[in-house]
Amino acid sequence: MENQEIAAVFEEISNLMKILQDDPKWQFKAAAYDRAKRAIEGYSERLEDIARDPQRKLTEIPGIGEDLAKKITELVETGQCKYHQEQLRKVPRSLLDLLQLQTVGPQKVRLFKEKLGITTVDGLEKAAKEGKLRALPGMSVKSEENVLKAIEVFRRAAGRFRLDTAFETAQELVAYLKEFKGVEEVTPAGSLRRGRETVGDLDLLVTGRNHAAIAEHFAKFPGVAQVLAKGEDKVTVKLQNDLQVDVRLLERQSYGAALQYFTGSKEHNVALRDRAKRRGWKLSEYGLFEGNKIIASRTEEEIYARLGLQWIPAELRENLGEIEAAEEGRLPKLVELSEILGDLQIHTTASDGRCTVEEMAEGAKKRGYKYILITDHSKAVTIANGLDERRAVEHIRNIKAVRRKVKGIEIWAGTEVDILGDGKLDYSDELLRQFDIVLASIHSRMTQAPEEMTERLLKGLRNPYVRILGHPTGRQLLKRDPYSFDLEKIITTAQKLGVILELNGNPERLDLCDRHVKLVRDRGMNVIISTDAHHPDQFDFMRYGVTTARRGWMEKKGILNTYPPEKLLASLRPLPT
Ligand code: DGT
Ligand code: CA
Ligand code: CA
Ligand code: ZN
């Protein structure tokens, strides 16, 4: 069991306590679970390893006492925690769905349930549409509207999973299958291979001897909740996290054709099949056929080549011009993860990060990075422990001290300064000029009217110290839509002023999204890919950022953090003199 899963159970226990309030000490206990959840998420070691080591004690983790340590051990050993299960039985499962809604926390869930008897998303929607929420304590017409918007996002998200969930699950499945005797290739296809920001289900392609035995083995994967179908060459299961997986067992001679077919997208495949047809051929998951004769099937390269095309990277296969480009030999040479030389949005313990400047710098160095930009929050973001002026100055001094100590990597002092509701920045120009690079972004009042939001962003961009706009649209995948604003105007102004738009690679954001990346690329603009890391492990998010950049047709030259440090600095908007 991973730390994240344990943390999720503790979070759910805390939420249930806050909804039920049936324990006289619920406030105290819920706070303890919240604290433990944060400690576990941020812990650098796997709790399972500690639990299984007789030399170690879970109570050595700050925030974990005897009682919670026992629950963790129980979770690790049985996959469940009795207390959690008992609590869960006290409420309808549907009540917890309400917590998925943005701006709806346990207090609101309790309010809706107690005052209006609401226990489902449908019930909440009906009440909101009838205007019944606005009169509740702490609610208003505006917050009622926000509930309706959140429900819409929730409905759209239903049945889809974040790219990181899909990727990590696929990695486990691949490892599990590969260790089985007789298995040769295991490749994730479908939307995961294309790197889409969310994934509906996993499609795994497998070759090897004895399909029946492999299918049998796969159905026994420990994370399987239910086997939905099991045939000779295909197994479909639902995992405990609700993600569905299709495994297809294939013959080696048609592997390329199957990989091509099951990678999709459907739109790309339809266009490719038409192309085959126009040549008098037939393309299927078994191969490219002339009559009954197979003319290509072993590799994707062969198939594309026979169709007169360059091989097309999976991220581009959306029928958005890639086939035409491949025909004319002008596909971009897409940026690669190994070309990234640094990360330019990083948080530390100074604000809401989990590690020190030095730990983040060492982590970055280990990945071979040449530079990092430390960007802790400014004072307006109180929940993230944003820095006031005094602490900001001290922080800059500290970053410079670490710079002298840690050799072999450039450590720049930056800030993620808030663009306040009225477009002013959270720090004075006098303070801003003391940072090496200023990144500006929005973390409050996200439901402003479009004109107001556009003006706010424009004003932020016009501050001469702002050189990067962080997570430009503010969306959170499967949770929160982008702010409403005139993106076109922001892009044009950023280009004119030389402000770089960030592609935030955190898989909960991926902001800019692939389509917007393509849009700015087509105008010859550059972007920076950063991870928003709060822990060195999260530097790994760069993978998702690069994938999204690739889906936006980006080459190395369009990504500023593939440049060596001096060239990167020279490519940013010049500072006022
Ligand atoms: P997802 O799972 O919703 O995130 O998206 P995909 O793209 O993984 O879609 P999925 O799992 O339904 O199917 C996997 C691939 O199989 C898909 O990308 C293309 C191929 N495929 C599925 N159905 C069709 C179809 O009706 N026609 C064609 N040409 N290809 C299909
Ligand atoms: Ca799929
Ligand atoms: Ca599928
Ligand atoms: Zn931020």
Side-chain angles (χ1 to χ4, degrees):
M1 182 168 279
E2 299 306 317
N3 292 3
Q4 287 298 340
E5 297 169 78
I6 299 171
V9 170
F10 282 9
E11 181 176 25
E12 199 158 274
I13 292 177
S14 158
N15 284 333
L16 286 162
M17 283 181 164
K18 291 175 194 164
I19 294 170
L20 290 161
Q21 302 190 1
D22 60 349
D23 183 316
K25 289 198 189 156
W26 70 268
Q27 271 169 309
F28 171 78
K29 289 189 181 168
Y33 278 103
D34 286 339
R35 218 165 25 244
K37 177 217 158 211
R38 282 194 301 272
I40 295 168
E41 274 177 339
Y43 211 66
S44 46
E45 271 182 276
R46 261 182 106 222
L47 266 56
E48 169 154 359
D49 297 340
I50 302 178
R52 291 189 188 283
D53 183 345
Q55 312 290 323
R56 307 275 306 272
K57 280 206 158 61
L58 286 162
T59 46
E60 62 191 61
I61 303 167
I64 305 294
E66 289 293 344
D67 178 54
L68 295 185
K70 259 192 228 140
K71 295 209 166 73
I72 294 169
T73 309
E74 191 188 346
L75 277 168
V76 166
E77 283 172 358
T78 69
Q80 281 196 340
C81 156
K82 267 206 219 93
Y83 178 66
H84 177 225
Q85 296 301 322
E86 275 164 28
Q87 293 288 95
L88 275 175
R89 275 196 291 277
K90 292 183 189 169
V91 299
R93 191 73 224 174
S94 61
L95 197 67
L96 293 176
D97 286 346
L98 298 180
L99 287 169
Q100 305 290 316
L101 302 171
Q102 192 72 18
T103 75
V104 177
Q107 288 81 2
K108 291 241 173 84
V109 172
R110 179 177 170 83
L111 181 72
F112 299 152
K113 177 169 162 284
E114 296 291 302
K115 300 278 179 198
L116 300 171
I118 291 167
T119 57
T120 62
V121 173
D122 287 346
L124 184 62
E125 183 176 32
K126 185 160 172 288
K129 284 194 172 146
E130 288 167 0
K132 287 187 180 154
L133 302 185
R134 61 186 70 171
L136 294 174
M139 294 289 295
S140 63
V141 173
K142 177 97 180 197
S143 57
E144 187 177 77
E145 254 170 46
N146 289 340
V147 165
L148 281 172
K149 271 191 204 144
I151 291 174
E152 196 194 311
V153 176
F154 174 82
R155 293 257 159 78
R156 233 183 300 132
R160 294 200 72 81
F161 294 79
R162 267 169 33 178
L163 182 57
D164 53 329
T165 311
F167 180 83
E168 286 166 13
T169 308
Q171 263 191 326
E172 279 176 45
L173 290 170
V174 169
Y176 173 81
L177 280 166
K178 280 212 164 148
E179 74 192 17
F180 190 67
K181 215 171 132 257
V183 169
E184 286 157 11
E185 306 251 11
V186 186
T187 316
S191 51
L192 174 61
R193 182 165 179 239
R194 302 199 310 282
R196 269 195 65 181
E197 62 194 27
T198 64
V199 166
D201 70 359
L202 291 182
D203 305 278
L204 291 186
L205 307 184
V206 181
T207 60
R209 278 174 285 117
N210 198 346
H211 288 185
I214 299 173
E216 201 60 49
H217 174 70
F218 177 70
K220 284 200 278 225
F221 177 71
V224 168
Q226 201 188 348
V227 178
L228 300 174
K230 184 144 71 73
E232 248 169 62
D233 297 308
K234 186 177 167 192
V235 190
T236 300
V237 303
K238 189 163 239 143
L239 300 177
Q240 271 148 19
N241 66 0
D242 266 353
L243 184 58
Q244 188 173 312
V245 189
D246 289 337
V247 173
R248 293 187 177 78
L249 299 146
L250 306 166
E251 300 306 326
R252 261 166 73 185
Q253 67 274 10
S254 59
Y255 191 65
L259 183 56
Q260 196 292 310
Y261 180 87
F262 290 112
T263 297
S265 65
K266 201 167 158 185
E267 291 72 18
H268 176 88
N269 287 357
V270 168
L272 217 58
R273 240 179 3 227
D274 282 350
R275 189 178 174 91
K277 225 187 268 167
R278 270 181 268 123
R279 288 166 160 70
W281 300 330
K282 185 174 154 276
L283 179 63
S284 76
E285 61 195 278
Y286 302 106
L288 183 61
F289 292 84
E290 180 163 36
N292 288 328
K293 199 173 114 238
I294 292 191
I295 52 177
S297 67
R298 287 190 78 88
T299 66
E300 282 191 342
E301 283 79 357
E302 270 177 42
I303 295 167
Y304 282 100
R306 266 326 272 271
L307 291 167
L309 301 171
Q310 279 179 286
W311 176 81
I312 301 175
E315 295 91 334
L316 298 183
R317 300 185 196 170
E318 300 290 345
N319 197 26
L320 292 171
E322 74 279 8
I323 296 176
E324 296 76 0
E327 174 163 26
E328 292 158 21
R330 54 174 178 83
L331 281 174
K333 189 183 170 316
L334 299 179
V335 60
E336 310 221 1
L337 186 56
S338 59
E339 292 169 334
I340 299 292
L341 298 185
D343 203 324
L344 302 180
Q345 177 167 179
I346 295 173
H347 298 265
T348 73
T349 43
S351 61
D352 61 345
R354 304 202 299 250
C355 296
T356 61
V357 175
E358 191 169 340
E359 286 165 338
M360 295 306 279
E362 290 292 353
K365 223 174 110 171
K366 237 182 259 156
R367 312 175 75 89
Y369 281 169
K370 301 279 180 264
Y371 45 84
I372 50 171
L373 177 66
I374 303 291
T375 55
D376 281 294
H377 288 286
S378 62
K379 62 181 186 293
V381 198
T382 46
I383 52 161
N385 186 26
L387 304 168
D388 61 20
E389 284 77 2
R390 191 187 53 79
R391 289 175 62 218
V393 171
E394 199 181 295
H395 189 41
I396 295 174
R397 206 174 312 129
N398 176 36
I399 294 169
K400 287 183 177 163
V402 176
R403 181 185 300 172
R404 284 188 294 273
K405 192 165 157 206
V406 181
K407 304 285 174 208
I409 184 165
E410 303 265 355
I411 304 168
W412 293 321
T415 172
E416 181 178 14
V417 67
D418 244 56
I419 304 175
L420 303 174
D422 60 2
K424 291 206 186 88
L425 299 184
D426 198 18
Y427 289 147
S428 66
D429 286 1
E430 185 47 42
L431 177 53
L432 290 174
R433 51 175 282 274
Q434 299 181 46
F435 293 99
D436 296 311
I437 299 174
V438 171
L439 166 100
S441 40
I442 283 181
H443 298 100
S444 63
R445 305 199 45 205
M446 289 174 243
T447 55
Q448 281 178 338
E451 307 74 45
E452 208 180 345
M453 184 55 90
T454 307
E455 266 318 302
R456 174 182 182 182
L457 283 161
L458 286 176
K459 199 157 162 194
L461 293 178
R462 285 192 202 110
N463 180 296
Y465 293 98
V466 170
R467 300 164 97 186
I468 307 170
L469 180 64
H471 43 78
T473 78
R475 73 163 177 173
Q476 278 184 4
L477 279 161
L478 307 177
K479 271 202 208 155
R480 185 172 80 207
D481 278 343
Y483 335 119
S484 327
F485 68 103
D486 187 344
L487 179 70
E488 174 63 36
K489 215 170 197 172
I490 298 306
I491 291 177
T492 313
T493 307
Q495 183 166 34
K496 202 172 71 201
L497 296 172
V499 176
I500 305 297
L501 302 180
E502 176 187 75
L503 193 186
N504 191 302
N506 186 316
E508 131 176 333
R509 292 188 181 273
L510 296 175
D511 179 10
L512 301 175
C513 70
D514 49 11
R515 281 176 306 112
H516 293 154
V517 171
K518 177 82 170 9
L519 195 76
V520 304
R521 180 207 103 113
D522 289 347
R523 300 201 190 172
M525 289 168 75
N526 299 323
V527 300
I528 279 170
I529 310 176
S530 35
T531 63
D532 213 338
H534 287 65
H535 185 283
D537 289 350
Q538 294 183 343
F539 286 139
D540 276 343
F541 291 163
M542 190 56 79
R543 163 188 301 132
Y544 307 117
V546 168
T547 297
T548 303
R550 288 168 64 89
R551 287 180 59 80
W553 292 55
M554 273 286 183
E555 304 191 311
K556 180 181 174 186
K557 65 175 189 309
I559 309 292
L560 292 189
N561 52 321
T562 64
Y563 295 9
E566 316 73 46
K567 188 173 164 199
L568 163 65
L569 292 174
S571 307
L572 298 175
R573 176 190 200 178
L575 288 171
T577 43

